[in-house]
Amino acid sequence: VQLQASGGGLVQAGGSLRLSCVASGGTFSNYSMGWFRQAPGKERELGAAISWSGEGTAYAGSVKGRFTISRDNAQNTAYLQMNSLKPEDTAVYYCAAEPSTAVVAGLYSYWGQGTQVTVSS
């Protein structure tokens, strides 16, 4: 499966962005999806994950309550709605897919290119 992430940009603190990840070349509903981020000088971290059906989700503590992961299997797209953005959310955001029915918090096999999110103070 190939993944194409988009929706990043520059936003002021307190603002919102919605990232999209469009999948192609596979049966999207066979994959659990995750959104990762990597800030300069830091390791990549999982921000949110969603099961194949969308019924199961998981969030890192740093984004819980502010970010919402969702998916539309008919549109082969996963989303990350980011609200109340903070300067520390500045990072390159990546979407990833793993063949699984469960929420995946570990390794992912397929990755999209990153999209830059910059939050100004």
Side-chain angles (χ1 to χ4, degrees):
V1 64
Q2 292 80 47
L3 305 174
Q4 180 75 38
S6 63
L10 174 64
V11 64
Q12 289 188 331
S16 298
L17 282 174
R18 188 175 81 156
L19 306 184
S20 299
C21 177
V22 179
S24 61
T27 302
F28 184 61
S29 59
N30 286 347
Y31 296 87
S32 293
M33 299 295 296
W35 283 99
F36 289 74
R37 65 185 186 180
Q38 187 166 21
K42 296 188 177 180
E43 293 187 356
R44 186 160 53 188
E45 63 175 2
L46 176 64
I50 190 167
S51 65
W52 71 277
S53 66
E55 292 183 357
T57 58
Y59 297 91
S62 57
V63 307
K64 195 169 186 178
R66 301 187 298 121
F67 291 11
T68 302
I69 189 171
S70 62
R71 65 190 296 160
D72 183 341
N73 287 346
Q75 297 296 323
N76 293 344
T77 304
Y79 303 97
L80 185 68
Q81 177 67 44
M82 305 186 294
N83 298 328
S84 302
L85 282 161
K86 305 175 181 181
E88 51 263 43
D89 294 317
T90 295
V92 178
Y93 284 71
Y94 300 88
C95 60
E98 177 65 18
S100 175
T101 58
V103 174
V104 176
L107 297 177
Y108 281 76
S109 298
Y110 303 94
W111 292 84
Q113 92 293 355
T115 185
Q116 176 71 47
V117 171
T118 303
V119 184
S120 63
S121 58

